[in-house]
Amino acid sequence: MRADRTLLHDTGLAVLLAAGSLVFYLLFDQAAWEAQGQLAQVHAPDLLGSLLVALSAAPVAVRRRWPLAALSVCVAIDTLIDALGYSVGRIGIASLVLLYSVAARRGLAMSMAGLLVTLLAYLAGSLAGSATLSVPGHVLVVFVFTAAWGLGRTIRLRRAYLDELRDRADRLERAKEADTRAARAEERSRIARELHDVIAHHVSVMTVQAAAARKVLRSDADLAGEALTAVEDTGRKAMAEMRAMVSVLRAGSPAELGPQPGMSALPALVEQMREAGLPTRLDVGGEPPQLPAGIDLAAYRLVQEALTNSLRHAGPGASAVVGVRYPPEGLPGALPGALPGGLPGGLPGGLPGGLEVSVRDDGRGPMGPVKQTGHGLAGIRERVALYGGILNIGPLPGGGFEVRATFPLKDGR
């Protein structure tokens, strides 16, 4: 439909130019020019001349679709008109419009060809024509043709510039939308990891403590009461952490947040696991440096998830060892060999300049197939990968299970 509209507009322009050219051609005062010596032998306006003048404007109707072909036809008719002596009184606007169209709608090479064709046709018409112009007159005509061509080139370059700006804006908008989607997906993933770590850990501890309370409820009411108190405390902690996270998500509600847990909270976590029925030992090598907040939280969540899995799947009578290896102070970016025997419990030493965290249990329960699946270990992998760490998860020879990760630290921090 747009092509039909442009064709209709160009056809109307061609009719208007043809009518204007005919009016100037038919009303031209030939006698006045002959008296001034400006004309040689010319033909008076007649039917053939009128037909040629009207036809010279006809190619304007297809100036958008075939601009160079239309210009070639127009200047050919103009040259024929000059050669036959019908040029006096004709304004020749059609050739200017077509020259502008070629420059505005075609590349530099084609537009230069259109300008050259127009100037050569004008030269041929001047040599064979009936009007004698002075040198300034010819210069003015050439200037007008060149100006029309230059205007067309300017319009084309501006149009290309605006198209490039629109295309760049579209690309930026698409990139912004992609970044927004990625940020939303990452935020959803982060929230899912945090909720899983909080809920899975606390609910697992509460389940174990509630089961212990049920078993001793009749035989030892005091011990059952302690277990239920521990369940209550764990539930309160879980609700506090969940409320803190939800307050961040609630629009227009200021978050009243405490600091996120980190490696400094490991002793409390180990004590909580002992109370829940999993004998746990914490062994630390090296002096704790000032860890980046992200790595501090990721390492804590790794230990929390691994201990939760041990509590749930290691089986009765199992115990766990949490090993932490900090890079030595004063030796940034390099660690000496592993501590004697590696980390406590026989775990190997970490990478140079890295923080190594490991959790190892000696359970005999169905650990491998259970621990290798689920959102918990997937969240651990995401956390470790986020900071460029190395993660090893799997069963140990002779029984038990190990989760070990090394986080790289820049300059030991």
Side-chain angles (χ1 to χ4, degrees):
M1 294 183 63
R2 181 180 178 183
D4 293 340
R5 288 197 301 268
T6 57
L7 180 60
L8 179 62
H9 295 163
D10 290 340
T11 301
L13 178 61
V15 171
L16 181 62
L17 290 177
S21 298
L22 281 176
V23 169
F24 277 92
Y25 173 70
L26 295 175
L27 297 181
F28 177 68
D29 189 358
Q30 180 178 350
W33 280 71
E34 288 180 344
Q36 297 176 11
Q38 297 293 324
L39 296 178
Q41 185 65 32
V42 296
H43 288 288
D46 56 15
L47 181 60
L48 177 60
S50 300
L51 181 61
L52 290 175
V53 169
L55 285 178
S56 67
V60 174
V62 293
R63 70 184 185 92
R64 299 176 194 262
R65 185 172 299 180
W66 303 297
L68 185 59
L71 176 63
S72 300
V73 172
C74 179
V75 296
I77 296 176
D78 287 346
T79 303
L80 179 61
I81 291 174
D82 290 336
L84 295 178
Y86 289 111
S87 61
V88 177
R90 186 179 56 86
I91 55 178
I93 297 297
S95 58
L96 292 176
V97 172
L98 291 172
L99 180 59
Y100 162 83
S101 300
V102 172
R105 297 189 169 275
R106 292 297 182 263
L108 179 60
M110 190 172 292
S111 65
M112 288 293 295
L115 179 61
L116 181 62
V117 167
T118 303
L119 294 178
L120 290 177
Y122 173 73
L123 176 61
S126 299
L127 295 176
S130 54
T132 58
L133 292 179
S134 61
V135 172
H138 290 297
V139 171
L140 179 61
V141 172
V142 171
F143 173 78
V144 171
F145 280 130
T146 305
W149 180 86
L151 178 61
R153 286 298 301 172
T154 301
I155 295 298
R156 177 177 175 82
L157 293 176
R158 178 173 177 77
R159 187 184 298 127
Y161 175 70
L162 294 178
D163 291 342
E164 176 62 24
L165 288 181
R166 282 192 291 267
D167 184 62
R168 184 180 302 176
D170 292 340
R171 291 198 303 269
L172 290 176
E173 185 65 24
R174 289 193 296 268
K176 181 180 178 181
E177 292 176 358
D179 291 343
T180 301
R181 288 194 298 269
R184 289 174 179 171
E186 175 60 26
E187 185 63 13
R188 285 195 297 267
S189 178
R190 186 190 67 81
I191 294 171
R193 288 196 304 266
E194 294 295 330
L195 285 175
H196 175 273
D197 290 342
V198 171
I199 294 174
H201 171 71
H202 290 296
V203 171
S204 296
V205 172
M206 292 167 63
T207 301
V208 173
Q209 292 172 333
R214 179 179 56 81
K215 291 180 181 180
V216 300
L217 182 61
R218 294 183 180 179
S219 60
D220 193 340
D222 293 337
L223 184 59
E226 292 179 3
L228 291 176
T229 300
V231 171
E232 181 182 2
D233 293 340
T234 304
R236 292 182 186 278
K237 292 178 182 178
M239 288 300 298
E241 291 192 38
M242 291 179 60
R243 189 177 297 111
M245 281 187 288
V246 172
S247 64
V248 176
L249 303 177
R250 186 179 293 117
S253 175
E256 298 179 359
L257 301 177
Q260 288 276 46
M263 298 297 287
S264 60
L266 283 185
L269 176 62
V270 168
E271 183 63 28
Q272 185 184 45
M273 301 309 296
R274 290 173 184 164
E275 295 175 357
L278 178 68
T280 306
R281 179 164 53 95
L282 174 62
D283 290 307
V284 179
E287 290 296 326
Q290 183 67 34
L291 295 174
I295 292 180
D296 197 24
L297 175 62
Y300 174 84
R301 292 301 190 194
L302 181 146
V303 174
Q304 184 184 55
E305 176 63 25
L307 288 177
T308 302
N309 282 346
S310 296
L311 178 66
R312 296 170 59 189
H313 306 301
S319 62
V321 176
V322 177
V324 180
R325 174 74 177 270
Y326 293 110
E329 187 176 1
L331 293 176
L335 282 176
L339 295 176
L343 281 173
L347 299 180
L351 293 178
L355 164 68
E356 184 174 87
V357 180
S358 64
V359 176
R360 181 179 188 176
D361 65 54
D362 56 1
R364 298 294 188 269
M367 298 167 296
V370 176
K371 288 189 176 182
Q372 290 291 349
T373 60
H375 297 289
L377 293 183
I380 288 177
R381 292 189 180 94
E382 291 175 359
R383 290 180 186 275
V384 175
L386 181 63
Y387 297 101
I390 298 176
L391 178 66
N392 293 297
I393 302 176
L396 295 171
F401 202 84
E402 178 189 62
V403 177
R404 175 163 48 89
T406 301
F407 295 91
L409 298 178
K410 184 178 180 181
D411 296 333
R413 294 187 295 175

